[in-house]
Structures are given as structure tokens and as C-alpha cells.
Amino acid sequence: MFWILLVIVYKLLLWLSLQGVFNAYGKNPALVLVPFYGEWLWIRLLKLKWYAYFPFLFLPFIHVFVFWLLCVETSYGYRRRKVWECFCACAFFFIYFPLLHFRNKETFTCAKDLPPVKKSPAREWLDTIVFALIAVLIIHAFYFKGYVIPSSSMEKSLNVGDFLFVSKVAYGPRVPQTVLSFPFVQHTLPLTKDKPSYLTWLELPYHRLPGFRKVKHNDVIVFNFPDGDTVSSVWQSNISYNTLVKEVGRNRVWNDKANFGRITYRPVDRRENFVKRCIGLPGDTLRIKDRQVFINGKEAENPEYLQYNYRILPSPAVVTKRTWQELGVSDDDLKNLFQPGAGSVPLTNRMVQALEKIPGVESVQPVVEPEGLGDGRLFPYSPEAYAWNIDNYGPVRIPAKGDTLLLDARNIVLYERLITIYENNTLEIRPDGQILINGEARETYVCKMDYYWAMGDNRHNSADSRFWGFVPEDHLVGKAFFVWFSWNKDATGFKKVRWNKVMRVIR
């Protein structure tokens, strides 16, 4: 309904704005109200090549760019060519054009019929830069986005220093929720530590346009950090706000500015971007048993470069540093391997097999947390009720849109954040165990969105859904599909470029 009303308002404003254009050529302005025909006729009256403009009005978000070009051409027809005049024509067409026609009694003449106006070199450069900037902004915001892998949670499928392209059209681009923002910046203004790069004066409701496909098992997805709605400016997403509160208490987090900085709230589309592999889809039941993931009772397909932590016996010192480098073990992982009390390193199956053949290595033993040993760091943060750990987890059902959740005093911890933060309801749990949602006693709740389960391929070194739960549908950014460059910070010279990782499709 919101979008239908928006289209109606747009058509009425366009009808008001183009009175002068249509009257100048003896056309009834009411024709503007006819869907698509009004825009086609506008293009024809501007004497532009219809095939260079009209088809692009059907492309999501590109149509905004085309619309602005038509507004600029219309401004030229009123002999208004200055930069600020063109800006007004694009941003405030519904005010600017009626003022020219009704108040100033300006006569519209197609710019093609006016004497040519020579632009200065500076203006030519400015027009080119503005045109390119707007085009890049539209592509970046709605079609494709660049992303750099900052952490090792997806090693060796994706390495620290990989530069990715993320397709926003794969699952359908989201309409921006925070419209007023600094370009190309996620959440913080450049050269500042905690100044938001966006304004919340105008926030649109969540809406996703149709995409080319649905999310599938094992897709590498990019999404906004679900636990990143409230953040510490010092820790950002390295340690979530909720984790900080659990560890040191809310009062200290809010009052100790030296250690935690400013505490701020972020809208969904301004939360930190994460990249993980989608393990579970809406409606799936997920379980991890002795490291192996099971989906709906069946073993899930493991990624080719899946990693777990292993111990090298009798000692990792029997393996030379050169061998570690040839295997692809990072310097950071080696530092952890030789730290007192650590003694483990993430390895793929191929790396394990290679190490077992090295003289002096007696065995390569997996690190597995036993079943029944609860970890309070993991979602839903209730080891007494859910004795789960990173290697033995679940079963947990991933909610789907329209699912009816049966709520009780035990399982409410699984759905509390879903009900309150993700779907904007109030929740109260009374001492007698009664559950109130939006002030009403409830034993069930119907989900408004689909949810997903994301995990890193570096399973023992990934903060993922095991730590913060479900990924809501409205947090999905897109599908990571292509690595165009890869930079190895541990190497030197020309070896810093991982040539075997450049220009490859992500699987």
C-alpha cells in the first residue's frame, strides 16, 4: 500500500511540474497521469531519442538517474543552466518547475530548439564528474558493491586481503532505509572515530525488489551484523555491545568513555557488513554434532576449504616455518600456535594430510569440544537450558516467514531478540513465566520475516550465528560472487599479490 501511495503522489507531482512543458506544445497535462505513457511523451516533447531514455525507466534505480537527466533537460528548456538551478530541478522538481511556469510566467522551449550555449571547460569537467559520481553511486548502492575481507573467519575459502564484488541484485536490492548519508561510507564519517555518516531524519520501511534467485545452501552472503544495532565506538563489531554488557555490566559500558567510547544505535542498513557462508535456510532444522553440520537430519555438504583447529604432536616445532608458509598458514595463526595454552592451528583436510607425512610429526589431532559442555558465549546464552558449544550445537529450527512459534519459559531466549529487535515488538516475561508481547499475554508468535543461519569456513575462528543467532531477511546485502584482487600482508615484494586468488569466482 505504501508503494502504491508513493506512485500516486509521484504522478500528481509530475503532473503539476510539467504543466508548462505540455502546454507549450498543445498537449493535455493530464496525459502525464497515464502510467509510462506520460514519461514517454515527456521524452518526445524534449526531442530526445526515446530509445536512449525510455527503456531505462524500467530498470530499478537506474530510472532515478534517467529521471534526473530529464529534469536537467527540462531546466535547460526554461533557460536555467546554472549548477544550482539544475540541482533544484532534480531535487525539487515539484516546486521548481511550477514556480517557473505559474509564478514567473516562464515559457518553455525545447532545449534542442534554443541557440547552442557554449560551456566553459570548468563546467564541462564539473558536468562529467557529477554524471560519473551519480552513476557510480547508483551502481554501488543498488547493483554491485566492493568489499574487503578483514578477518580470517572464511579462511581459506576467502583470505584476509581479498577484494570482492558483492551482487546486490542476486537476491534483490534493498531500497535504502537511511536515505540521507555520506556517499561510499558505511556508518562513520571519514577522519572521525564515532561521527555517524548518515541522518535518521528520513527512514524508509524495509522493501526488497525482486532478485534473480533465492538464497541457497552454501552461498557466500554479505549481510549487516545482526548484533550490531547498538555499538561501542571503541570496539565496533570486534566485540558486540551485548557481549560487553554481559562481561562488565551496562553501567560501566555507558559511563566508562575512556574504554568504551560513545554508545550509539545504528539502523539496519548502516550496521557493519559481515561475510559468511549460508548454512541454514528458513524452515531448516540445524544441528552440529562433533563438528559436522546436519540440516534436517542429513549431513550438510562441507565447503572445499573448510578449516578446524588441530594440535600437532609431539610439538609444532618439528615443522619448519617455510613448510608452514608453503601450506598457507598465516603469521597470525602461527603466533597463536606457539602461544602458551593455545597450541592449535586451523587446517583444511589437505593441510592435515600434508602435515601427517612430515618426518617428526606423530599425529595431527582435531580439537573438539565434547557434547554436553555448554558455552555461555554462544546464542542463546543459556548453557543451563541449552548446553551447546561450537562443535556440538542444537538442534535449532531457523524461523521462516509465517511460522508460528510456540513460546515457553525455556525457549523464549531463542526468540527474544527476533521478537523485539528484528520485528519491533515489546516483550515482557513476568515472574510467573507468563509472556506478554505488546502488552498481551501470548503463547505463540507468528514470524514476519525469513531468517538464515550463517557460519564461517574457519569454523573454530569465526564469530557467526552460533554466537549471535539468526540473520534476518532485511539484513541481507547480497551474494559475494567474485574476487578481483588478493593482497597477502605476510608476504613481501611481488609475492604480496596472491596471483592464484585473483579474478576468480567464489564458490
Side-chain angles (χ1 to χ4, degrees):
M1 178 61 70
F2 171 80
W3 297 104
I4 294 175
L5 291 175
L6 192 64
V7 170
I8 293 173
V9 170
Y10 155 75
K11 276 293 188 179
L12 290 173
L13 292 178
L14 193 63
W15 166 77
L16 178 65
S17 303
L18 298 183
Q19 295 281 326
V21 177
F22 277 61
N23 287 334
Y25 289 92
K27 299 291 185 180
N28 186 349
L31 294 173
V32 175
L33 300 174
V34 180
F36 300 114
Y37 178 71
E39 284 81 0
W40 182 83
L41 195 55
W42 184 18
I43 293 170
R44 298 294 291 173
L45 294 179
L46 294 175
K47 297 187 178 180
L48 300 173
K49 296 178 179 178
W50 68 268
Y51 52 82
Y53 291 85
F54 187 70
F56 295 99
L57 290 173
F58 295 90
L59 295 180
F61 307 112
I62 293 293
H63 72 279
V64 176
F65 187 41
V66 174
F67 180 83
W68 287 339
L69 291 176
L70 296 178
C71 287
V72 170
E73 282 291 325
T74 304
S75 181
Y76 288 171
Y78 282 111
R79 300 165 183 83
R80 297 294 196 273
R81 293 176 173 268
K82 294 179 181 179
V83 173
W84 71 268
E85 292 170 333
C86 293
F87 173 79
C88 289
C90 294
F92 308 106
F93 67 94
F94 51 92
I95 298 173
Y96 188 61
F97 291 146
L99 280 176
L100 293 176
H101 176 63
F102 293 111
R103 182 176 178 181
N104 296 339
K105 302 297 183 180
E106 298 282 349
T107 301
F108 177 85
T109 305
C110 177
K112 302 291 184 184
D113 298 331
L114 293 173
V117 177
K118 184 173 178 59
K119 296 181 181 179
S120 67
R123 178 61 187 273
E124 290 283 1
W125 273 104
L126 180 62
D127 286 352
T128 301
I129 292 171
V130 170
F131 181 91
L133 180 62
I134 292 174
V136 171
L137 278 171
I138 291 175
I139 292 172
H140 177 270
F142 306 113
Y143 287 87
F144 301 101
K145 180 178 182 177
Y147 186 80
V148 183
I149 298 295
S151 70
S152 62
S153 67
M154 285 294 291
E155 298 265 352
K156 295 293 186 287
S157 301
L158 294 172
N159 299 294
V160 175
D162 279 357
F163 291 75
L164 317 179
F165 279 136
V166 178
S167 170
K168 294 187 175 184
V169 295
Y171 309 133
R174 291 181 303 183
V175 174
Q177 290 166 271
T178 48
V179 180
L180 306 174
S181 63
F182 191 88
F184 306 116
V185 174
Q186 181 62 16
H187 49 66
T188 306
L189 282 174
L191 306 178
T192 70
K193 292 183 178 180
D194 59 5
K195 299 299 182 184
S197 62
Y198 54 89
L199 297 173
T200 56
W201 300 346
L202 176 62
E203 289 190 58
L204 298 179
Y206 165 68
H207 180 73
R208 187 181 298 275
L209 295 175
F212 290 111
R213 48 169 290 186
K214 299 288 186 181
V215 182
K216 297 180 180 179
H217 288 116
N218 280 340
D219 278 1
V220 178
I221 59 175
V222 174
F223 53 91
N224 298 115
F225 183 31
D227 208 15
D229 55 307
T230 307
V231 295
S232 156
S233 62
V234 171
W235 294 99
Q236 298 286 342
S237 62
N238 295 327
I239 303 179
S240 75
Y241 164 80
N242 293 311
T243 301
L244 292 173
V245 169
K246 291 187 185 77
E247 291 180 352
V248 302
R250 187 180 185 278
N251 286 338
R252 187 184 169 194
V253 170
W254 277 87
N255 297 319
D256 187 353
K257 303 296 183 183
N259 288 304
F260 301 103
R262 191 166 71 94
I263 306 302
T264 185
Y265 169 81
R266 287 176 181 162
V268 170
D269 60 340
R270 293 297 160 183
R271 295 168 192 171
E272 199 74 55
N273 288 322
F274 272 31
V275 57
K276 307 286 180 185
R277 193 176 295 276
C278 182
I279 303 300
L281 300 177
D284 283 346
T285 297
L286 175 140
R287 186 182 182 189
I288 304 173
K289 185 173 178 60
D290 295 330
R291 305 188 307 176
Q292 176 61 48
V293 175
F294 291 81
I295 300 294
N296 302 323
K298 298 181 180 179
E299 284 192 10
E301 179 184 355
N302 290 325
E304 180 180 1
Y305 296 105
L306 185 67
Q307 289 194 142
Y308 296 108
N309 281 359
Y310 291 84
R311 293 190 180 92
I312 313 300
L313 299 178
S315 168
V318 301
V319 183
T320 65
K321 184 174 181 179
R322 181 175 179 179
T323 301
W324 288 118
Q325 290 174 341
E326 290 174 350
L327 287 172
V329 176
S330 69
D331 288 351
D332 290 339
D333 287 339
L334 283 180
K335 290 176 184 177
N336 292 331
L337 175 62
F338 289 100
Q339 279 185 354
S344 63
V345 63
L347 302 170
T348 65
N349 283 335
R350 292 179 184 177
M351 295 162 73
V352 170
Q353 295 169 6
L355 283 169
E356 289 175 336
K357 298 176 182 178
I358 295 175
V361 175
E362 293 181 3
S363 66
V364 183
Q365 294 187 349
V367 177
V368 183
E369 294 191 15
E371 188 173 4
L373 182 63
D375 188 340
R377 300 172 304 158
L378 302 189
F379 174 79
Y381 320 114
S382 180
E384 299 82 12
Y386 297 93
W388 299 343
N389 56 59
I390 58 174
D391 295 318
N392 288 278
Y393 191 98
V396 59
R397 190 178 190 279
I398 304 163
K401 184 177 181 179
D403 273 2
T404 299
L405 306 176
L406 301 177
L407 306 178
D408 55 45
R410 178 176 181 268
N411 73 5
I412 191 63
V413 292
L414 286 169
Y415 306 119
E416 180 178 2
R417 189 169 176 81
L418 180 155
I419 294 169
T420 57
I421 303 300
Y422 303 150
E423 302 200 355
N424 300 312
N425 300 285
T426 61
L427 176 68
E428 180 186 352
I429 304 172
R430 291 185 171 174
D432 61 359
Q434 187 180 39
I435 297 170
L436 277 70
I437 298 177
N438 297 327
E440 297 181 8
R442 300 287 295 275
E443 294 182 353
T444 62
Y445 178 77
V446 179
C447 295
K448 301 174 185 175
M449 287 192 292
D450 284 329
Y451 291 83
Y452 301 86
W453 193 267
M455 292 170 62
D457 289 357
N458 193 358
R459 291 289 164 82
H460 283 155
N461 302 277
S462 172
D464 50 38
S465 284
R466 293 169 295 180
F467 288 82
W468 33 255
F470 311 115
V471 178
E473 167 196 328
D474 66 346
H475 283 55
L476 280 178
V477 175
K479 183 179 187 297
F481 73 99
F482 191 71
V483 176
W484 62 272
F485 189 73
S486 185
W487 186 262
N488 185 356
K489 65 182 179 65
D490 296 331
T492 58
F494 287 108
K495 292 183 179 180
K496 290 188 79 69
V497 179
R498 299 187 186 99
W499 297 105
N500 62 324
K501 299 286 187 180
V502 173
M503 306 297 286
R504 66 185 178 93
V505 176
I506 297 171
R507 302 186 185 282

